[in-house]
Amino acid sequence: MSDVMHTTSTARTGRSATASRTYAAFLGIGLVLLIVAPLFFYPIFLMKLLCFALFACAFNLLLGYTGLLSFGHATFFGGAAYFTAHAVKEWAVTPEIGILVGVLGAAALGLIMGFFAIRRQGIYFAMITLALAQMFFFFCLQAEFTHGEDGIQSVPRGHLFGLVDLNDTTSMYYFVLGVFLIGMIVIWRFINSPFGMILKSIRENEQRAISLGYSVARYKLGAFVMSAALAGLAGGTKALVFQFATLTDVGWQMSGEVILMTLLGGIGTLIGPIFGAGLVVTLQNYLATSQFPVTIITGVVFMVCVLVFRRGIIGEFYASRLGRRLGFEHRR
Amino acid sequence: MVLSARGLSKSFGAFSAVRNVDLDIHHARVHALIGPNGAGKTTVFNLLTKFLQPTAGSITLLGSDITKTPPDKVARMGLVRSFQISAVFPHLSVLDNVRVALQRPNGLSTQFWLPASSLDRLNQQADALIETVGLKRERDAVAADLSYGRKRVLEIATTLALDPKVLLLDEPMAGMGQEDIGAVSNIIREVAKTRAVLMVEHNLSVVSDICHQVTVLQRGEILAEGDYETVAKDERVRLAYMGTEDA
């Protein structure tokens, strides 16, 4: 028995090393593709994809690594878009400061929403986040600085650090790529840190974590605020890309969309939500001019995924024979 | 005396699970809580560790009233428990399970900016605990892959990692083979030299072997108390729990 277990352990360590090499190879290829992508694709589409990919990854940080299903993440995404747009347009700050304002605003909203929601679980947690998000939606509808249904229009992109003109689409693309990579590095560090290890243990067995002396609510709140801040990073960047911030980004549909992206890509996988966001944004983009309603297509894709690929695209790949051979192991 | 309860009661609606229980747990002693199924042993455990809030009564740990203290704080004060159904982190390795327990006392639980490799400094301490409970060969195995008995042993290792002042073990021998029972009995005997141990246990040979004090519960109330010999001779206990023949 012990011999078998020892062999299993050794095999697992070997697979882990293989996984690291495979990850490094995929990372290198992915980076090269992202760098040359504007040569082949419309840059605005790529920037939208990167913003939503980061948003989905931020959401996955909460759902996939803490097990909390928030139905109010549009608050942080759309809220940050408003904060950034307002700061850049009205206060004339540089774009990086504008995004920082958005991130801090989203983190503050996350702290408030998390404070009220974090002690509840399951459907109650989801409903509290939805209720608070709807309250924020109506605040945005009524508040003066958001300009109601018109939103904040004609947001200047400005000059990065006062030097690089972001009105140039290529410069803007590489700026967005930089923001995306920074966001991904932060997420990767967060989940592969001592704090991330405690989050994983809470997700695995909350009662045991409490019995070991961990104040579970505080760790969950920390993850919630971090997830909100990163969603804000995505939202603030999107406001600069499209040069407006509107009610669309704070509506409940946006909260549903990010859940869809994460489930499609694979909950609890680092890169799964990127693929999920890619699929949804691509469908929205290329079916936008079609007579056929895009929501029906995404709905069908979602149903197929839930019924057939319950782990999501990347989750199923990890669990497949090829994925296991490459050293990946999917777990929830 | 490190842990005491006075008039401890717990009701679930009209059902009274624990009634007026007094307990005194002493340093360097192993105290067993025994009784037939449904006697309220695990409920008492949950009350003492604050996973359940008592309906009435008070609990004192190391001179501090913990009747209204949350369970995580009670654990930080030095009262650490294991669970009736093995409580491990199933998708983490044996090493990571122990390291998670070691992170908090070593001040390595909140740093989100440090790499996971920063936890390697806990390896020496974790390896010593893993070796103590005899899980050295399974060090890198995922906890879910362990047999039930080995999971119980791992849970004891994670509990010991906190160096608790009071150790509460809920049926630590459940699901273990005879070989493991001997080894775990030795571990409990050893750790009890420097701390108080309260354990729920059905294996009466283990109770007679390592426990200094026994409390018998029946229908949520204390039926008898004393050392094993005294309790075993008590006619009420023999009738209620051990049977009428020799215990």
Side-chain angles (χ1 to χ4, degrees):
Chain A
M1 171 71 185
S2 289
D3 287 339
V4 174
M5 197 63 75
H6 185 63
T7 311
T8 311
S9 310
T10 311
R12 198 177 294 279
T13 310
R15 284 205 298 274
S16 179
T18 311
S20 299
R21 283 195 295 274
T22 314
Y23 256 127
F26 278 135
L27 186 66
I29 293 166
L31 267 178
V32 171
L33 289 176
L34 284 172
I35 289 167
V36 301
L39 300 174
F40 304 100
F41 296 98
Y42 182 46
I44 297 290
F45 162 71
L46 291 173
M47 286 189 269
K48 182 182 176 185
L49 198 156
L50 287 173
C51 289
F52 277 101
L54 181 57
F55 182 29
C57 288
F59 178 77
N60 183 47
L61 179 64
L62 193 65
L63 178 60
Y65 294 93
T66 317
L68 294 170
L69 174 60
S70 161
F71 229 100
H73 255 50
T75 295
F76 316 125
F77 184 73
Y82 276 123
F83 299 144
T84 299
H86 182 79
V88 170
K89 190 175 179 184
E90 304 297 331
W91 303 339
V93 297
T94 53
E96 70 278 2
I97 298 294
I99 288 177
L100 186 64
V101 169
V103 169
L104 292 175
L109 288 170
L111 190 64
I112 296 166
M113 190 185 280
F115 178 79
F116 288 108
I118 216 75
R119 289 176 200 280
R120 297 289 170 266
Q121 289 176 329
I123 190 71
Y124 302 104
F125 175 82
M127 288 300 104
I128 290 173
T129 52
L130 176 63
L132 291 170
Q134 285 302 95
M135 286 167 68
F136 186 72
F137 176 87
F138 285 106
F139 166 77
C140 291
L141 185 63
Q142 299 294 330
E144 203 171 304
F145 87 100
T146 58
H147 302 285
E149 291 187 0
D150 291 338
I152 303 175
Q153 303 285 339
S154 305
V155 178
R157 286 181 178 170
H159 289 69
L160 182 64
F161 300 116
L163 299 170
V164 182
D165 185 4
L166 294 182
N167 290 304
D168 174 55
T169 308
T170 307
S171 302
M172 187 65 196
Y173 172 76
Y174 288 110
F175 170 65
V176 173
L177 179 59
V179 169
F180 170 76
L181 292 175
I182 288 169
M184 290 306 295
I185 289 168
V186 169
I187 291 171
W188 180 79
R189 165 54 66 235
F190 193 76
I191 59 179
N192 292 293
S193 69
F195 188 91
M197 185 57 91
I198 303 303
L199 286 184
K200 286 174 197 166
S201 71
I202 291 170
R203 182 194 60 185
E204 297 262 308
N205 191 335
E206 187 168 329
Q207 293 292 87
R208 185 57 178 156
I210 293 170
S211 76
L212 293 176
Y214 291 109
S215 180
V216 166
R218 287 186 189 174
Y219 286 90
K220 284 182 177 176
L221 184 60
F224 196 90
V225 172
M226 181 58 90
S227 175
L230 287 162
L233 182 63
T237 308
K238 181 179 173 279
L240 290 181
V241 170
F242 289 98
Q243 298 185 274
F244 59 73
T246 65
L247 288 170
T248 308
D249 292 341
V250 286
W252 64 267
Q253 295 94 332
M254 185 59 74
S255 295
E257 214 161 84
V258 76
I259 295 171
L260 174 70
M261 290 171 185
T262 310
L263 286 174
L264 286 179
I267 299 168
T269 61
L270 185 64
I271 59 170
I274 300 173
F275 282 82
L279 182 63
V280 172
V281 172
T282 305
L283 281 173
Q284 286 174 345
N285 193 61
Y286 288 100
L287 294 175
T289 52
S290 159
Q291 295 292 320
F292 203 76
V294 68
T295 47
I296 291 182
I297 301 282
T298 50
V300 169
V301 169
F302 178 66
M303 282 197 297
V304 169
C305 189
V306 167
L307 293 172
V308 185
F309 311 112
R310 293 191 66 180
R311 297 183 180 95
I313 299 163
I314 296 300
E316 289 295 339
F317 170 69
Y318 284 179
S320 70
R321 193 173 291 177
L322 176 63
R324 287 202 302 272
R325 194 179 297 167
L326 288 169
F328 295 112
E329 284 172 75
H330 178 77
R331 52 183 190 75
R332 290 279 308 275
Chain B
M1 189 168 61
V2 289
L3 176 68
S4 78
R6 288 289 171 269
L8 204 57
S9 302
K10 180 68 186 176
S11 300
F12 299 99
F15 174 67
S16 185
V18 173
R19 274 176 291 185
N20 206 28
V21 167
D22 292 344
L23 265 181
D24 288 322
I25 313 299
H26 296 271
H27 179 71
R29 308 267 293 176
V30 182
H31 192 131
L33 199 57
I34 65 171
N37 286 334
K41 304 181 295 294
T42 298
T43 306
V44 169
F45 252 50
N46 287 334
L47 292 171
L48 291 174
T49 50
K50 304 312 313 301
F51 277 78
L52 281 177
Q53 187 62 27
T55 311
S58 65
I59 308 163
T60 309
L61 173 66
L62 301 163
S64 303
D65 187 340
I66 59 162
T67 313
K68 295 192 187 302
T69 310
D72 55 299
K73 193 173 177 191
V74 168
R76 290 196 292 275
M77 289 169 76
L79 173 61
V80 184
R81 67 171 296 179
S82 71
F83 289 81
Q84 193 173 29
I85 296 167
S86 76
V88 295
F89 304 117
H91 294 104
L92 302 186
S93 70
V94 167
L95 177 68
D96 283 339
N97 265 271
V98 180
R99 290 203 313 191
V100 165
L102 286 168
Q103 277 182 245
R104 187 183 54 75
N106 284 279
L108 267 175
S109 59
T110 54
Q111 295 84 344
F112 58 84
W113 58 91
L114 289 179
S117 59
S118 61
L119 299 175
D120 288 351
R121 77 178 79 153
L122 304 175
N123 284 4
Q124 200 178 350
Q125 227 177 323
D127 282 334
L129 283 160
I130 288 168
E131 196 166 352
T132 302
V133 297
L135 281 172
K136 196 176 173 185
R137 292 181 71 82
E138 293 96 336
R139 177 187 188 264
D140 297 316
V142 171
D145 292 344
L146 298 178
S147 68
Y148 186 75
R150 308 304 277 165
K151 281 181 192 160
R152 304 299 315 228
V153 171
L154 173 58
E155 194 183 349
I156 290 173
T158 56
T159 307
L160 290 176
L162 300 182
D163 194 18
K165 295 181 179 74
V166 189
L167 191 61
L168 270 62
L169 303 171
D170 199 353
E171 298 189 33
M173 310 299 175
M176 282 187 188
Q178 203 54 45
E179 189 185 330
D180 284 335
I181 287 176
V184 172
S185 295
N186 286 335
I187 292 167
I188 294 172
R189 201 180 284 118
E190 194 59 35
V191 300
K193 286 178 182 170
T194 52
R195 72 203 80 205
V197 176
L198 173 66
M199 59 191 275
V200 168
E201 187 52 61
H202 283 298
N203 189 327
L204 294 182
S205 67
V206 170
V207 173
S208 68
D209 191 30
I210 64 174
C211 296
H212 304 98
Q213 181 82 2
V214 178
T215 298
V216 186
L217 281 181
Q218 189 189 27
R219 296 195 188 107
E221 289 179 304
I222 292 179
L223 188 64
E225 265 186 308
D227 57 30
Y228 183 79
E229 282 71 29
T230 310
V231 166
K233 284 174 191 158
D234 191 307
E235 198 56 35
R236 294 169 303 162
V237 176
R238 290 159 70 94
L239 277 170
Y241 181 68
M242 298 172 184
T244 50
E245 299 302 318
D246 287 343

